[in-house]
């Protein structure tokens, strides 16, 4: 008999924050999560709509930015609505299949975002270090193909840990100490040894974060070396300003991801603190990225103003 046949659990219960069970805390959390989700929807949809409406932005750099906005939109949608349901209407149950689907999509999308940030670093590297060849190397079609590769690679990574997790027997405890189904929280409920699962998942997760981060650092070292050779300090500032936005986005994403892995491996770390670290990594980048790009990218700001003017003329 296979181990999967030994599983008697048909649904899981998402506990949320174990230390925040009073009604006042749940009301505040539900309001905060709902507000954040609406802001994420507004900000990322704005980026996507601007890209779709302004043909002057339909070039590789902005294709990557709009793809990041779309990915952030999906990342938030996979987890936050269920979190709102947990705290607003106390709907904590999630079916076995839905839990593992949420696990796959969450980890797959986060890994895809890691690869996409690496691709964005490559785009900046080519644009600054090889400007004469940029139009030949980074075409719109080429950028779209590379984005598809990021998505495929992102979902291939969590597939092996998912398959191994589905082979585990779940025969009793079904309370997931988290606000959504993530790999570590779910396999802790298995009725058998999970050492192999933990090592495989940790190895794949570290590789999916470490290698893109390593390439990003390499790209920016090359960019800095190239920019420092520019004679004009004004040109140096202008060139660096195009990279600052991406560096801020990268810092937010990788620092929050690192905090999750560290929190799970520090003995005595409270469950509430670990969950909060995961929520920051899940919500903060999708919330902040649109603000950063709208404020820091001149072309996007100008596009917003052009669209607003057109709409005002149309109304009048």
């Amino acid at each position: 008999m296979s181990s999967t046949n030994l599983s008697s659990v048909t649904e899981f219960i998402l506990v949320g924050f174990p230390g925040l069970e009073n009604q006042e805390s749940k009301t505040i959390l539900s309001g905060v999560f709902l507000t954040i989700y609406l802001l994420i929807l507004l900000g990322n949809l704005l980026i996507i709509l601007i890209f779709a409406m302004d043909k002057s932005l339909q070039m590789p750099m902005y294709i990557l930015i709009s793809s990041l906005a779309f990915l952030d939109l999906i990342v938030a949608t996979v987890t936050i609505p269920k979190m709102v349901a947990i705290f607003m209407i106390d709907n904590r149950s999630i079916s076995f299949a839905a839990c593992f689907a949420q696990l796959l999509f969450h980890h797959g999308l986060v890994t895809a975002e890691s690869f996409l940030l690496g691709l964005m670093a490559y785009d900046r590297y080519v644009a600054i270090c090889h400007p004469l060849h940029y139009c030949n190397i980074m075409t719109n079609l080429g950028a779209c193909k590379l984005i598809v590769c990021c998505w495929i690679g992102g979902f291939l990574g969590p597939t092996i840990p998912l398959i191994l997790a589905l082979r585990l027997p779940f025969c009793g405890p079904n309370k997931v100490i988290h606000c959504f189904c993530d790999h570590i929280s779910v396999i802790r409920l298995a009725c058998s040894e999970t050492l192999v699962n933990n090592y495989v998942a940790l190895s794949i997760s570290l590789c999916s974060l470490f290698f893109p981060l390593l390439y990003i650092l390499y790209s920016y070292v090359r960019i800095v070396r190239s920019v420092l050779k520019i004679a004009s300090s004004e040109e140096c500032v202008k060139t660096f300003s195009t990279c600052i936005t991406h560096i801020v986005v990268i810092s937010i994403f990788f620092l929050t991801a690192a905090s999750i892995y560290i929190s799970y491996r520090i003995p005595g770390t409270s469950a509430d603190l670990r969950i909060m670290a995961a929520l920051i990594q899940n919500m903060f980048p999708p919330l902040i990225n649109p603000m950063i790009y709208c404020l820091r990218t001149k072309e996007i700001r100008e596009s917003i103003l052009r669209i607003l003017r057109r709409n005002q003329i149309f109304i009048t």
Side-chain angles (χ1 to χ4, degrees), residues 184 198-199 201-202 260-267 269 274:
I184 297 177
N198 279 311
Y199 277 124
L202 179 61
I260 296 173
Y261 292 110
I262 292 171
S263 68
Y264 269 107
R265 281 152 185 87
I266 296 178
T269 303
R274 286 199 297 268

Side-chain angles (χ1 to χ4, degrees), residues 53-54 305-315:
M53 295 173 66
D54 193 338
L305 292 175
R306 284 197 301 270
I307 291 171
L308 289 176
R309 290 193 194 102
R310 283 205 304 265
N311 289 340
Q312 185 66 32
I313 292 170
F314 179 77
I315 291 171

Side-chain angles (χ1 to χ4, degrees), residues 185-249:
S185 300
V186 172
I187 66 170
R188 283 181 172 180
L189 302 177
C191 303
S192 64
E193 179 58 53
T194 59
L195 186 63
V196 173
N197 298 71
N198 279 311
Y199 277 124
V200 170
L202 179 61
S203 300
I204 292 175
S205 297
L206 290 178
C207 287
S208 65
L209 290 174
F210 176 75
F211 287 114
L213 179 59
L214 190 65
Y215 178 75
I216 290 168
L217 294 175
Y218 168 77
S219 298
Y220 277 100
V221 168
R222 295 290 301 273
I223 289 171
V224 170
R225 288 177 59 185
S226 298
V227 170
L228 290 177
K229 294 178 182 178
I230 300 175
S232 169
S233 59
E234 183 180 343
E235 290 180 350
C236 286
V237 172
K238 182 179 179 181
T239 305
F240 275 127
S241 67
T242 64
C243 300
I244 289 175
T245 302
H246 189 224
I247 292 172
V248 172
V249 171

Side-chain angles (χ1 to χ4, degrees), residues 16 106-107 176-188 198 202 256-279 281:
H106 171 68
H107 290 291
V176 179
I177 310 299
H178 212 299
C179 292
F180 57 87
C181 292
D182 79 327
H183 182 264
I184 297 177
S185 300
V186 172
I187 66 170
R188 283 181 172 180
N198 279 311
L202 179 61
T256 52
S259 68
I260 296 173
Y261 292 110
I262 292 171
S263 68
Y264 269 107
R265 281 152 185 87
I266 296 178
T269 303
S270 72
D272 290 332
L273 186 61
R274 286 199 297 268
I275 294 168
M276 183 58 68
L279 295 187
Q281 197 259 350

Side-chain angles (χ1 to χ4, degrees), residues 59 72 82 92 95 129 152 163 217 224 235 274 285 316:
M59 57 183 69
D72 281 339
K82 183 61 180 177
R92 299 172 184 266
S95 69
C129 299
I152 294 173
I163 293 172
L217 294 175
V224 170
E235 290 180 350
R274 286 199 297 268
T316 57

Side-chain angles (χ1 to χ4, degrees), residues 9-283:
V9 172
T10 59
E11 68 175 16
F12 293 101
I13 304 298
L14 296 168
V15 173
F17 288 97
L20 298 173
E21 287 297 313
N22 60 81
Q23 187 58 46
E24 183 180 358
S25 297
K26 290 191 288 186
T27 302
I28 294 172
L29 286 172
S30 63
V32 169
F33 292 154
L34 181 59
T35 302
I36 289 175
Y37 182 59
L38 293 176
L39 290 174
I40 289 172
L41 288 179
L42 178 63
N44 287 285
L45 283 174
L46 177 64
I47 295 287
I48 295 169
L49 288 173
I50 290 170
F51 171 77
M53 295 173 66
D54 193 338
K55 292 185 178 180
S56 67
L57 296 181
Q58 293 177 8
M59 57 183 69
M61 176 181 174
Y62 299 105
I63 290 175
L64 295 176
I65 291 175
S66 60
S67 298
L68 179 65
F70 178 71
L71 201 155
D72 281 339
L73 194 64
I74 303 302
V75 167
T77 301
V78 165
T79 56
I80 298 180
K82 183 61 180 177
M83 289 158 48
V84 172
I86 290 171
F87 296 106
M88 183 173 287
I89 59 175
D90 205 33
N91 181 7
R92 299 172 184 266
S93 64
I94 183 170
S95 69
F96 188 95
C99 182
F100 276 89
Q102 189 182 59
L103 185 156
L104 173 63
F105 276 94
H106 171 68
H107 290 291
L109 291 166
V110 170
T111 305
E113 183 160 350
S114 175
F115 293 152
L116 183 58
L117 291 174
L119 178 57
M120 294 174 76
Y122 173 72
D123 175 74
R124 292 298 83 209
Y125 164 73
V126 175
I128 294 171
C129 299
H130 303 284
L132 298 179
H133 301 286
Y134 180 78
C135 292
N136 294 325
I137 296 173
M138 287 297 291
T139 63
N140 287 357
L141 180 60
C144 291
K145 289 180 179 179
L146 290 172
I147 290 168
V148 171
C149 290
C150 291
W151 280 75
I152 294 173
F155 278 91
L156 284 177
T159 299
I160 296 174
L162 176 71
I163 293 172
L164 293 175
L166 285 170
R167 293 173 61 85
L168 293 171
F170 294 89
C171 53
N174 70 336
K175 290 187 177 181
V176 179
I177 310 299
H178 212 299
C179 292
F180 57 87
C181 292
D182 79 327
H183 182 264
I184 297 177
S185 300
V186 172
I187 66 170
R188 283 181 172 180
L189 302 177
C191 303
S192 64
E193 179 58 53
T194 59
L195 186 63
V196 173
N197 298 71
N198 279 311
Y199 277 124
V200 170
L202 179 61
S203 300
I204 292 175
S205 297
L206 290 178
C207 287
S208 65
L209 290 174
F210 176 75
F211 287 114
L213 179 59
L214 190 65
Y215 178 75
I216 290 168
L217 294 175
Y218 168 77
S219 298
Y220 277 100
V221 168
R222 295 290 301 273
I223 289 171
V224 170
R225 288 177 59 185
S226 298
V227 170
L228 290 177
K229 294 178 182 178
I230 300 175
S232 169
S233 59
E234 183 180 343
E235 290 180 350
C236 286
V237 172
K238 182 179 179 181
T239 305
F240 275 127
S241 67
T242 64
C243 300
I244 289 175
T245 302
H246 189 224
I247 292 172
V248 172
V249 171
I250 290 167
S251 300
I252 292 170
F253 178 81
F254 285 102
L255 287 175
T256 52
S259 68
I260 296 173
Y261 292 110
I262 292 171
S263 68
Y264 269 107
R265 281 152 185 87
I266 296 178
T269 303
S270 72
D272 290 332
L273 186 61
R274 286 199 297 268
I275 294 168
M276 183 58 68
L279 295 187
I280 290 172
Q281 197 259 350
N282 191 60
M283 295 188 294

